[in-house]
mmCIF file of all heavy atoms in Angstrom:
data_model
loop_
_atom_site.group_PDB
_atom_site.id
_atom_site.type_symbol
_atom_site.label_atom_id
_atom_site.label_comp_id
_atom_site.label_asym_id
_atom_site.label_seq_id
_atom_site.Cartn_x
_atom_site.Cartn_y
_atom_site.Cartn_z
ATOM 1 N N GLY A 8 -13.244 -15.603 2.979
ATOM 2 C CA GLY A 8 -13.048 -14.734 4.142
ATOM 3 C C GLY A 8 -11.620 -14.247 4.252
ATOM 4 O O GLY A 8 -11.365 -13.061 4.512
ATOM 5 N N ALA A 9 -10.667 -15.158 4.035
ATOM 6 C CA ALA A 9 -9.257 -14.775 4.117
ATOM 7 C C ALA A 9 -8.902 -13.777 3.022
ATOM 8 O O ALA A 9 -8.200 -12.785 3.264
ATOM 9 C CB ALA A 9 -8.370 -16.019 4.010
ATOM 10 N N LEU A 10 -9.390 -14.019 1.795
ATOM 11 C CA LEU A 10 -9.080 -13.118 0.682
ATOM 12 C C LEU A 10 -9.669 -11.733 0.927
ATOM 13 O O LEU A 10 -9.003 -10.717 0.670
ATOM 14 C CB LEU A 10 -9.625 -13.701 -0.622
ATOM 15 C CG LEU A 10 -9.438 -12.824 -1.870
ATOM 16 C CD1 LEU A 10 -7.960 -12.542 -2.120
ATOM 17 C CD2 LEU A 10 -10.066 -13.496 -3.090
ATOM 18 N N TRP A 11 -10.899 -11.659 1.408
ATOM 19 C CA TRP A 11 -11.522 -10.356 1.649
ATOM 20 C C TRP A 11 -10.724 -9.557 2.677
ATOM 21 O O TRP A 11 -10.500 -8.351 2.515
ATOM 22 C CB TRP A 11 -12.965 -10.530 2.121
ATOM 23 C CG TRP A 11 -13.752 -9.252 2.101
ATOM 24 C CD1 TRP A 11 -14.465 -8.744 1.061
ATOM 25 C CD2 TRP A 11 -13.882 -8.306 3.174
ATOM 26 N NE1 TRP A 11 -15.035 -7.544 1.410
ATOM 27 C CE2 TRP A 11 -14.696 -7.248 2.694
ATOM 28 C CE3 TRP A 11 -13.396 -8.254 4.481
ATOM 29 C CZ2 TRP A 11 -15.029 -6.152 3.488
ATOM 30 C CZ3 TRP A 11 -13.719 -7.151 5.266
ATOM 31 C CH2 TRP A 11 -14.531 -6.118 4.777
ATOM 32 N N LEU A 12 -10.272 -10.219 3.737
ATOM 33 C CA LEU A 12 -9.482 -9.532 4.763
ATOM 34 C C LEU A 12 -8.136 -9.065 4.200
ATOM 35 O O LEU A 12 -7.666 -7.963 4.528
ATOM 36 C CB LEU A 12 -9.260 -10.456 5.965
ATOM 37 C CG LEU A 12 -10.506 -10.747 6.807
ATOM 38 C CD1 LEU A 12 -10.181 -11.788 7.884
ATOM 39 C CD2 LEU A 12 -11.033 -9.467 7.461
ATOM 40 N N VAL A 13 -7.519 -9.883 3.358
ATOM 41 C CA VAL A 13 -6.238 -9.498 2.748
ATOM 42 C C VAL A 13 -6.428 -8.302 1.820
ATOM 43 O O VAL A 13 -5.607 -7.375 1.809
ATOM 44 C CB VAL A 13 -5.630 -10.695 1.987
ATOM 45 C CG1 VAL A 13 -4.509 -10.246 1.057
ATOM 46 C CG2 VAL A 13 -5.100 -11.729 2.974
ATOM 47 N N VAL A 14 -7.517 -8.301 1.049
ATOM 48 C CA VAL A 14 -7.798 -7.163 0.170
ATOM 49 C C VAL A 14 -8.044 -5.902 0.993
ATOM 50 O O VAL A 14 -7.545 -4.814 0.668
ATOM 51 C CB VAL A 14 -9.015 -7.463 -0.731
ATOM 52 C CG1 VAL A 14 -9.447 -6.214 -1.503
ATOM 53 C CG2 VAL A 14 -8.672 -8.578 -1.718
ATOM 54 N N LEU A 15 -8.804 -6.029 2.071
ATOM 55 C CA LEU A 15 -9.065 -4.888 2.962
ATOM 56 C C LEU A 15 -7.759 -4.318 3.503
ATOM 57 O O LEU A 15 -7.527 -3.095 3.454
ATOM 58 C CB LEU A 15 -9.970 -5.333 4.117
ATOM 59 C CG LEU A 15 -10.178 -4.315 5.246
ATOM 60 C CD1 LEU A 15 -10.899 -3.074 4.730
ATOM 61 C CD2 LEU A 15 -10.953 -4.955 6.402
ATOM 62 N N LEU A 16 -6.894 -5.180 4.017
ATOM 63 C CA LEU A 16 -5.606 -4.737 4.563
ATOM 64 C C LEU A 16 -4.752 -4.082 3.480
ATOM 65 O O LEU A 16 -4.140 -3.028 3.702
ATOM 66 C CB LEU A 16 -4.874 -5.930 5.176
ATOM 67 C CG LEU A 16 -3.447 -5.670 5.692
ATOM 68 C CD1 LEU A 16 -3.462 -4.626 6.795
ATOM 69 C CD2 LEU A 16 -2.817 -6.968 6.203
ATOM 70 N N SER A 17 -4.734 -4.677 2.292
ATOM 71 C CA SER A 17 -3.896 -4.172 1.207
ATOM 72 C C SER A 17 -4.365 -2.805 0.712
ATOM 73 O O SER A 17 -3.561 -1.902 0.465
ATOM 74 C CB SER A 17 -3.870 -5.170 0.053
ATOM 75 O OG SER A 17 -3.361 -6.419 0.469
ATOM 76 N N LEU A 18 -5.682 -2.638 0.574
ATOM 77 C CA LEU A 18 -6.215 -1.353 0.127
ATOM 78 C C LEU A 18 -5.977 -0.269 1.165
ATOM 79 O O LEU A 18 -5.664 0.882 0.829
ATOM 80 C CB LEU A 18 -7.706 -1.471 -0.181
ATOM 81 C CG LEU A 18 -8.076 -2.304 -1.416
ATOM 82 C CD1 LEU A 18 -9.594 -2.403 -1.555
ATOM 83 C CD2 LEU A 18 -7.471 -1.711 -2.678
ATOM 84 N N ASN A 19 -6.117 -0.614 2.447
ATOM 85 C CA ASN A 19 -5.804 0.353 3.506
ATOM 86 C C ASN A 19 -4.338 0.733 3.473
ATOM 87 O O ASN A 19 -3.974 1.900 3.664
ATOM 88 C CB ASN A 19 -6.166 -0.223 4.875
ATOM 89 C CG ASN A 19 -7.635 -0.088 5.203
ATOM 90 O OD1 ASN A 19 -8.264 0.902 4.845
ATOM 91 N ND2 ASN A 19 -8.203 -1.078 5.866
ATOM 92 N N LEU A 20 -3.478 -0.254 3.241
ATOM 93 C CA LEU A 20 -2.038 0.002 3.217
ATOM 94 C C LEU A 20 -1.667 0.906 2.042
ATOM 95 O O LEU A 20 -0.942 1.893 2.209
ATOM 96 C CB LEU A 20 -1.281 -1.321 3.115
ATOM 97 C CG LEU A 20 0.243 -1.217 3.018
ATOM 98 C CD1 LEU A 20 0.818 -0.629 4.301
ATOM 99 C CD2 LEU A 20 0.857 -2.588 2.741
ATOM 100 N N THR A 21 -2.163 0.576 0.842
ATOM 101 C CA THR A 21 -1.775 1.355 -0.339
ATOM 102 C C THR A 21 -2.341 2.772 -0.309
ATOM 103 O O THR A 21 -1.820 3.660 -0.976
ATOM 104 C CB THR A 21 -2.230 0.651 -1.633
ATOM 105 O OG1 THR A 21 -3.648 0.414 -1.574
ATOM 106 C CG2 THR A 21 -1.512 -0.678 -1.798
ATOM 107 N N GLY A 22 -3.401 2.979 0.486
ATOM 108 C CA GLY A 22 -3.976 4.317 0.596
ATOM 109 C C GLY A 22 -3.448 5.122 1.764
ATOM 110 O O GLY A 22 -3.884 6.258 1.995
ATOM 111 N N SER A 23 -2.496 4.551 2.505
ATOM 112 C CA SER A 23 -1.929 5.232 3.674
ATOM 113 C C SER A 23 -0.657 5.986 3.293
ATOM 114 O O SER A 23 -0.169 5.901 2.162
ATOM 115 C CB SER A 23 -1.602 4.198 4.761
ATOM 116 O OG SER A 23 -0.548 3.351 4.321
ATOM 117 N N LEU A 24 -0.095 6.720 4.267
ATOM 118 C CA LEU A 24 1.173 7.418 4.038
ATOM 119 C C LEU A 24 2.282 6.415 3.709
ATOM 120 O O LEU A 24 3.139 6.690 2.865
ATOM 121 C CB LEU A 24 1.552 8.240 5.279
ATOM 122 C CG LEU A 24 0.741 9.520 5.519
ATOM 123 C CD1 LEU A 24 1.152 10.170 6.837
ATOM 124 C CD2 LEU A 24 0.923 10.496 4.362
ATOM 125 N N TYR A 25 2.249 5.259 4.374
ATOM 126 C CA TYR A 25 3.224 4.209 4.082
ATOM 127 C C TYR A 25 3.075 3.752 2.629
ATOM 128 O O TYR A 25 4.058 3.523 1.928
ATOM 129 C CB TYR A 25 3.010 3.036 5.034
ATOM 130 C CG TYR A 25 4.127 2.016 5.037
ATOM 131 C CD1 TYR A 25 5.179 2.111 5.941
ATOM 132 C CD2 TYR A 25 4.119 0.943 4.140
ATOM 133 C CE1 TYR A 25 6.196 1.171 5.951
ATOM 134 C CE2 TYR A 25 5.131 0.001 4.133
ATOM 135 C CZ TYR A 25 6.163 0.117 5.053
ATOM 136 O OH TYR A 25 7.180 -0.807 5.051
ATOM 137 N N GLY A 26 1.807 3.649 2.195
ATOM 138 C CA GLY A 26 1.553 3.244 0.818
ATOM 139 C C GLY A 26 2.063 4.254 -0.188
ATOM 140 O O GLY A 26 2.597 3.887 -1.244
ATOM 141 N N TYR A 27 1.936 5.541 0.136
ATOM 142 C CA TYR A 27 2.481 6.567 -0.758
ATOM 143 C C TYR A 27 4.002 6.493 -0.804
ATOM 144 O O TYR A 27 4.616 6.742 -1.851
ATOM 145 C CB TYR A 27 2.022 7.956 -0.305
ATOM 146 C CG TYR A 27 0.534 8.176 -0.464
ATOM 147 C CD1 TYR A 27 -0.226 8.717 0.565
ATOM 148 C CD2 TYR A 27 -0.112 7.817 -1.643
ATOM 149 C CE1 TYR A 27 -1.598 8.903 0.426
ATOM 150 C CE2 TYR A 27 -1.478 7.994 -1.788
ATOM 151 C CZ TYR A 27 -2.215 8.537 -0.754
ATOM 152 O OH TYR A 27 -3.572 8.706 -0.908
ATOM 153 N N GLY A 28 4.596 6.138 0.335
ATOM 154 C CA GLY A 28 6.041 5.923 0.347
ATOM 155 C C GLY A 28 6.438 4.758 -0.534
ATOM 156 O O GLY A 28 7.445 4.807 -1.256
ATOM 157 N N MET A 29 5.611 3.691 -0.517
ATOM 158 C CA MET A 29 5.838 2.543 -1.405
ATOM 159 C C MET A 29 5.789 2.950 -2.859
ATOM 160 O O MET A 29 6.636 2.560 -3.670
ATOM 161 C CB MET A 29 4.760 1.474 -1.173
ATOM 162 C CG MET A 29 5.075 0.462 -0.113
ATOM 163 S SD MET A 29 3.975 -0.970 -0.234
ATOM 164 C CE MET A 29 2.420 -0.280 -0.623
ATOM 165 N N ARG A 30 4.756 3.713 -3.214
ATOM 166 C CA ARG A 30 4.607 4.143 -4.602
ATOM 167 C C ARG A 30 5.781 5.010 -5.047
ATOM 168 O O ARG A 30 6.278 4.880 -6.168
ATOM 169 C CB ARG A 30 3.301 4.921 -4.762
ATOM 170 C CG ARG A 30 2.043 4.092 -4.526
ATOM 171 C CD ARG A 30 0.819 5.003 -4.500
ATOM 172 N NE ARG A 30 -0.381 4.332 -4.041
ATOM 173 C CZ ARG A 30 -1.261 3.734 -4.826
ATOM 174 N NH1 ARG A 30 -1.055 3.720 -6.132
ATOM 175 N NH2 ARG A 30 -2.334 3.157 -4.330
ATOM 176 N N ALA A 31 6.203 5.904 -4.146
ATOM 177 C CA ALA A 31 7.353 6.758 -4.474
ATOM 178 C C ALA A 31 8.599 5.914 -4.692
ATOM 179 O O ALA A 31 9.379 6.151 -5.620
ATOM 180 C CB ALA A 31 7.581 7.770 -3.346
ATOM 181 N N LEU A 32 8.790 4.908 -3.849
ATOM 182 C CA LEU A 32 9.924 4.007 -3.986
ATOM 183 C C LEU A 32 9.869 3.282 -5.328
ATOM 184 O O LEU A 32 10.893 3.126 -6.011
ATOM 185 C CB LEU A 32 9.913 2.995 -2.837
ATOM 186 C CG LEU A 32 10.875 1.806 -2.937
ATOM 187 C CD1 LEU A 32 12.319 2.306 -2.966
ATOM 188 C CD2 LEU A 32 10.660 0.852 -1.770
ATOM 189 N N GLY A 33 8.676 2.827 -5.719
ATOM 190 C CA GLY A 33 8.537 2.131 -6.983
ATOM 191 C C GLY A 33 8.846 3.008 -8.179
ATOM 192 O O GLY A 33 9.345 2.531 -9.201
ATOM 193 N N LEU A 34 8.579 4.306 -8.056
ATOM 194 C CA LEU A 34 8.858 5.239 -9.155
ATOM 195 C C LEU A 34 10.330 5.613 -9.220
ATOM 196 O O LEU A 34 10.927 5.638 -10.296
ATOM 197 C CB LEU A 34 8.002 6.499 -8.991
ATOM 198 C CG LEU A 34 6.491 6.321 -9.211
ATOM 199 C CD1 LEU A 34 5.754 7.593 -8.821
ATOM 200 C CD2 LEU A 34 6.203 5.959 -10.662
ATOM 201 N N SER A 35 10.922 5.911 -8.061
ATOM 202 C CA SER A 35 12.331 6.313 -8.041
ATOM 203 C C SER A 35 12.878 6.178 -6.631
ATOM 204 O O SER A 35 12.463 6.913 -5.727
ATOM 205 C CB SER A 35 12.486 7.759 -8.522
ATOM 206 O OG SER A 35 13.808 8.213 -8.318
ATOM 207 N N GLU A 36 13.794 5.231 -6.449
ATOM 208 C CA GLU A 36 14.385 5.047 -5.129
ATOM 209 C C GLU A 36 15.238 6.252 -4.744
ATOM 210 O O GLU A 36 15.188 6.726 -3.600
ATOM 211 C CB GLU A 36 15.227 3.771 -5.101
ATOM 212 C CG GLU A 36 15.799 3.469 -3.726
ATOM 213 C CD GLU A 36 16.421 2.096 -3.634
ATOM 214 O OE1 GLU A 36 16.239 1.289 -4.573
ATOM 215 O OE2 GLU A 36 17.085 1.826 -2.615
ATOM 216 N N ALA A 37 16.023 6.768 -5.687
ATOM 217 C CA ALA A 37 16.865 7.929 -5.396
ATOM 218 C C ALA A 37 16.012 9.147 -5.060
ATOM 219 O O ALA A 37 16.318 9.904 -4.120
ATOM 220 C CB ALA A 37 17.769 8.228 -6.584
ATOM 221 N N GLY A 38 14.931 9.337 -5.819
ATOM 222 C CA GLY A 38 14.041 10.454 -5.544
ATOM 223 C C GLY A 38 13.374 10.322 -4.188
ATOM 224 O O GLY A 38 13.183 11.319 -3.479
ATOM 225 N N SER A 39 13.022 9.095 -3.808
ATOM 226 C CA SER A 39 12.393 8.861 -2.506
ATOM 227 C C SER A 39 13.353 9.190 -1.377
ATOM 228 O O SER A 39 12.975 9.815 -0.371
ATOM 229 C CB SER A 39 11.933 7.404 -2.398
ATOM 230 O OG SER A 39 11.000 7.096 -3.410
#
């Protein structure tokens, strides 16, 4: 139950605008 909720939260986060900001940061901090 705990793992499923963590996966749900994580997938929602990575698919959000905040998540896109994370991905951009991972690619290039200066570019972000």
Side-chain angles (χ1 to χ4, degrees):
L10 177 59
W11 192 88
L12 290 174
V13 165
V14 172
L15 172 64
L16 175 61
S17 300
L18 291 177
N19 279 324
L20 177 65
T21 56
S23 67
L24 286 176
Y25 192 93
Y27 293 133
M29 271 195 321
R30 295 171 191 268
L32 169 62
L34 291 172
S35 171
E36 184 170 349
S39 300

